């Protein structure tokens, strides 16, 4: 149901390990479905330092506005500019083109403590 190669937070973000200490972050399809049609995304600033659990982006839908939290501490190294013109990509491809930002981790391995696909699946089904 949820991709096995990702880690997840209890606040419905996913994390994909990249090269070195780099990770890509987005929201899960569970969160995107709960939000409904995404109409706007407020992206973090490249170069911004964030701590784990900091609200660093916002996703606005026809139903509500939700914060996106950093899953780990680090520096934002990239944002998904596609979302400025096509925010609905989060709904159609949350684990691919719908990513939100990339982070250079302050501490290698910090995301290893996050939920795996099975644990996240249990979280959202309870």
């Amino acid at each position: 149901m949820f991709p096995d190669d990702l880690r997840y937070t209890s606040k419905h973000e996913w994390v994909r390990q990249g090269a070195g200490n780099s990770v890509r972050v987005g929201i899960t399809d569970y969160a995107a479905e709960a939000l409904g049609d995404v109409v706007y995304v407020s992206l973090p600033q490249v170069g911004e330092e964030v701590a784990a659990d900091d609200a660093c982006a916002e996703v606005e839908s026809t139903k509500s506005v939700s914060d996106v939290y950093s899953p780990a501490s680090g520096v934002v190294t990239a944002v998904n500019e596609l979302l400025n013109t096509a925010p609905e990509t989060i709904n159609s491809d949350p684990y691919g083109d719908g990513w939100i930002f990339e982070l250079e981790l302050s501490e290698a391995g910090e995301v290893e403590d996050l939920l795996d696909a099975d644990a996240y699946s249990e979280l959202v089904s309870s």
Side-chain angles (χ1 to χ4, degrees):
M1 181 173 175
F2 300 104
D4 286 330
D5 65 324
L6 305 178
R7 291 291 186 168
Y8 301 88
T9 71
S10 59
K11 295 177 180 167
H12 311 292
E13 290 84 20
W14 58 260
V15 180
R16 177 175 285 124
Q17 188 71 46
N21 287 342
S22 180
V23 295
R24 183 170 274 186
V25 179
I27 64 170
T28 65
D29 60 350
Y30 176 87
E33 195 170 301
L35 281 169
D37 295 334
V38 175
V39 295
Y40 177 75
V41 180
S42 174
L43 298 167
Q45 294 292 316
V46 171
E48 180 180 350
E49 283 192 45
V50 295
D53 295 324
D54 277 358
C56 58
E58 283 184 345
V59 176
E60 185 176 329
S61 72
T62 54
K63 293 182 183 178
S64 68
V65 176
S66 293
D67 286 327
V68 177
Y69 298 91
S70 181
S73 299
V75 176
V76 175
T77 56
V79 296
N80 188 353
E81 300 287 349
L82 171 67
L83 300 179
N84 288 328
T85 55
E88 67 278 2
T89 307
I90 287 178
N91 295 111
S92 62
D93 192 12
Y95 302 114
D97 289 338
W99 64 277
I100 298 173
F101 65 96
E102 292 182 352
L103 191 63
E104 184 72 23
L105 299 175
S106 297
E107 294 183 33
E110 190 175 353
V111 297
E112 294 303 315
D113 294 335
L114 299 177
L115 303 170
D116 64 14
D118 290 338
Y120 182 72
S121 184
E122 283 182 36
L123 174 78
V124 299
S125 64
S126 59

